[in-house]
């Protein structure tokens, strides 16, 4: 499985993917890391691991479709088969999604459909939620709306601020993302089409537990 990883920042999920590959837990290779931001710290992590990187700044393109076409060209050049959005802060259009049907995966730091979009941890705190977590899902044209692959729950504790909560969720993200990618590599994912017009596609993962509750170890 040739992964293309899209990032915009720190790259800790990228680092988790690279260490899982090193450890033999994920039978894949990262063929290319692309950032839309030249100063993304994840680029240095990738370069240190000898992974090819590209910077494709969204501002250099007239519209989203042109930016997405440039991303697709770079990923195809690298023979990428599965794309991971690992802290990639741009919405993708059908130009991109149609090039990798059911093969774009996102990690989101909340239990979707709660708290989609930016700063999900702050959203959960502001709402007064007691439990949040993270979700790995296939990407569709909406904001964090695609079919769920797996979810892990994380408690919100008295006194939590945004950073404390994000730090509690992040290790769960790393575990869940690597796990989901290993399932994809093993051919365990089945996309179940919408049962009727207007309903959603869902994902079935064969032979695996796809939820991780409070206090359970993924
Ligand atoms: C993570 O919290 C991820 O869920 C969200 O953006 C953050 C990226 O972190 N989509 P990193 O760049 O992987 O460290």
């Amino acid at each position: 499985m040739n992964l293309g990883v899209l990032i915009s920042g720190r790259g800790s999920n990228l680092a988790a993917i690279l260490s899982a590959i090193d450890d033999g837990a994920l039978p894949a290779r990262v063929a290319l890391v692309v950032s839309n931001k030249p100063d993304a710290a994840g680029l240095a992590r990738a370069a240190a691991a000898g992974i090819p990187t590209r910077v494709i700044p969204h501002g250099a393109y007239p519209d989203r479709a042109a930016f997405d076409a440039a991303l697709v060209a770079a990923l195809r050049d690298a023979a990428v088969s599965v794309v991971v959005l690992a802290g990639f802060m741009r919405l993708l259009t059908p130009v991109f999604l149609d090039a990798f049907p059911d093969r774009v995966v996102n990690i989101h730091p909340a239990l979707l459909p709660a708290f989609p979009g930016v700063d999900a941890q702050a959203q959960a705190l502001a709402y007064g939620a007691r439990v949040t977590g993270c979700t790995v899902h296939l990407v569709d044209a909406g904001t964090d709306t695609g079919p769920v692959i797996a979810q892990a729950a994380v408690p919100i504790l008295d006194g939590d601020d945004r950073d404390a909560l994000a730090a509690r969720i992040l290790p769960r993200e790393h575990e869940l993302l690597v796990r989901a990618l290993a399932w994809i590599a093993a051919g365990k994912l089945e996309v179940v089409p919408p049962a009727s017009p207007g309903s959603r596609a869902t994902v079935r993962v064969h032979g695996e537990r796809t939820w991780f509750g409070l206090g359970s170890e993924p």
Side-chain angles (χ1 to χ4, degrees), residues 22-45:
D22 277 353
D23 296 348
L26 178 57
R29 64 185 271 270
V30 177
L32 183 66
V33 171
V34 179
S35 174
N36 63 314
K37 296 197 171 171
D39 56 353
L43 287 169
R45 290 186 194 242

Side-chain angles (χ1 to χ4, degrees), residues 127-142:
Y127 192 87
R130 299 298 199 256
V131 176
T132 184
C134 52
T135 302
V136 178
H137 65 96
L138 292 180
V139 175
D140 66 12

Side-chain angles (χ1 to χ4, degrees), residues 36-103:
N36 63 314
K37 296 197 171 171
D39 56 353
L43 287 169
R45 290 186 194 242
I51 309 293
T53 62
R54 295 271 303 267
V55 175
I56 303 182
H58 57 276
Y61 296 86
D63 53 32
R64 285 181 189 277
F67 172 61
D68 282 7
L71 292 176
V72 169
L75 294 164
R76 285 212 167 123
D77 275 356
V80 163
S81 54
V82 172
V83 179
V84 185
L85 308 186
F88 183 66
M89 301 303 284
R90 306 295 301 172
L91 288 181
L92 296 170
T93 69
V95 168
F96 190 95
L97 297 170
D98 291 349
F100 297 99
D102 297 333
R103 284 293 174 270

